[in-house]
Amino acid sequence: MHVPDGFLDAPTSVAAGAIAVAGLALCLRRARAELDERAAPLAGLVAAFVFAAQMLNFPVVAGTSGHLLGGALAAIVVGPWTGAVCVAVVLLVQSLLFADGGLTALGVNIVDMSLVTVLVGYLLFRGLALLLPRSPASVVGASFVAAAVSVPVASLAFVGFYAVGGTTDVPLGTVVPAVLGVHVLIGIGEGLITALVVGSVLTVRPDLVHGAHSLLPAVRLEPAAVT
Amino acid sequence: MRPAAVSSRLYVERDSLVHRLPAQCKLLAVFGFVLAVVSTPREQFWAFGVYAGLLAAVALAATVPAPTIARRALVETPFIAFAALLPFMVPGEQVRLLGVGLSQPGLLGAWNILAKATLGVVAAVLLAATTRPEALVAGLARLRLPSLVVQILSLMVRYLDVVVAEQARMRIARESRGFVARDVRQLGVLTRSAAALFVRSYERGERVHLAMLSRGYAGAMPAPHSPRPEAPQWLISMTVPAAAGAVAVLAWAVS
């Protein structure tokens, strides 16, 4: 759910915008290193994929459905820097073209859903991947935890902004459990979908899962025997 | 059934003054307008009436039909639901309405979110309805967005419909084989579809990159053609945010 205009006061929105710009500038510089000059076409197509994936509704229980947010998934499959840039571009398009998420709230939305989600998701994923045995099952398990935790943590980042510059007077004691409760549930769904998608990509094109590169056998080049 | 073209559904084809304004002027105008709206004190109800009037004037000048705006504004529905809960969640002085106790600060908070979010959404809808997506990207480039972001953005906008159409074909393929997503047990099928969509998108990205290389791409795209806006165009674009800014200042002065 994207924060609309008017939810946070103007100074907080501007400050969040500054954080988002600084964070994205760093991500952009590193994404260039991650993808070299392929950055633009690949990141553009991955962003289009994230956008399309968010339109895919997954049934939860009779009648209700959820959709993928894709922050952790993007970080795991294309790397954290490119992933953060892709999600930020998706948020920009949603805000400008689809009026989904306020223009003044774009900074807050980018910090929460791109920077924090990707940072938390990727750090957890790498940490778990180091601890667990090297196997595809570990990658899938680590993806689940990373995505499941990244969503409630991102919602806490939003609560942080709300505490600083929220325009409504709902006491924090009411906001935190409500927001956290909802997002723990959303997070479980996100984790499940992310893990299953990563698992499927892993079986078809394991080389496309950035976070599983350490699993692949190193390619050894040997001179062909000349007969 | 959802038509395949996502981005072209947003643009309302007209030949109006608002449509002809350069994208970068309209982008800055919308941003200035929304910033003024957000910083207006919520007790100044009249100010929001003036803002709505400004947007109505723009919609009229652009001849964008009201039902189109209303339909597209539905994206904010989840927040309307949230705002409706506020009068019950915020502690404070109670007012009785139809026998139900509602908190006064809660009502004000709900009004604040509803008014500002709706004005923001309608402003953004008007921007997208009067500006083609490619023009918006070119406008952002003119506003000095880093060139790599502009490239990613323009490629995303260009291939959005392709990827969404690919997803629609996959859905038709699933459904023509009798697939119905009822509950969590069907998650596996849907996530495999999503994974296939990712692989196809990524591979398309690789092909696009090779195609770009073979046409001489070396890390930068040729600058999109957009003429420098003339002074009258800036003047016309800035009337709305300037009026909104004046209203915001006035609202602060009298509050």
Side-chain angles (χ1 to χ4, degrees), chain A residues 11-170:
Chain A
T12 313
S13 306
V14 172
I19 300 175
V21 167
L24 280 182
L26 176 70
C27 290
L28 264 180
R29 190 145 8 107
R30 303 297 295 265
R32 220 175 246 144
E34 222 164 47
L35 288 174
D36 56 68
E37 96 290 8
R38 296 180 307 154
L42 276 183
L45 264 298
V46 171
F49 160 75
V50 171
F51 184 91
Q54 291 190 348
M55 284 167 53
L56 189 61
N57 277 309
F58 295 88
V60 185
V61 272
T64 60
S65 64
H67 72 79
L68 186 73
L69 302 171
L73 176 66
I76 293 167
V77 290
V78 292
W81 311 107
T82 315
V85 172
C86 290
V87 177
V89 167
V90 170
L91 291 170
L92 178 65
V93 167
Q94 282 170 335
S95 168
L96 274 182
L97 290 181
F98 297 87
D100 194 3
L103 265 185
T104 57
L106 191 57
V108 176
N109 282 325
I110 287 180
V111 171
D112 292 350
M113 283 187 274
S114 162
L115 300 179
V116 173
T117 308
V118 165
L119 185 74
V120 171
Y122 195 72
L123 284 180
L124 261 176
F125 177 82
R126 288 306 296 177
L128 284 170
L130 285 176
L131 290 175
L132 294 167
R134 280 183 173 203
S135 74
S138 305
V139 173
V140 173
S143 307
F144 172 79
V145 177
V149 175
S150 71
V151 173
V153 173
S155 78
L156 280 183
F158 166 71
V159 172
F161 282 120
Y162 177 84
V164 176
T167 53
T168 52
D169 315 309
V170 185

Side-chain angles (χ1 to χ4, degrees), chain B residues 32-107:
Chain B
F33 174 80
V34 180
L35 210 57
V37 169
V38 169
S39 38
T40 306
R42 58 190 182 185
E43 294 83 8
Q44 303 300 316
F45 301 114
W46 61 271
F48 297 96
V50 179
Y51 295 144
L54 285 171
L55 287 184
V58 174
L60 216 60
T63 62
V64 178
T68 308
I69 300 173
R71 201 175 54 245
R72 300 244 343 257
L74 286 178
V75 287
E76 61 159 345
T77 317
F79 273 90
I80 296 180
F82 173 80
L85 288 176
L86 280 176
F88 305 100
M89 285 160 63
V90 179
E93 210 176 307
Q94 299 278 308
V95 279
R96 295 201 71 79
L97 192 74
L98 301 172
V100 187
L102 298 171
S103 102
Q104 204 159 11
L107 281 174

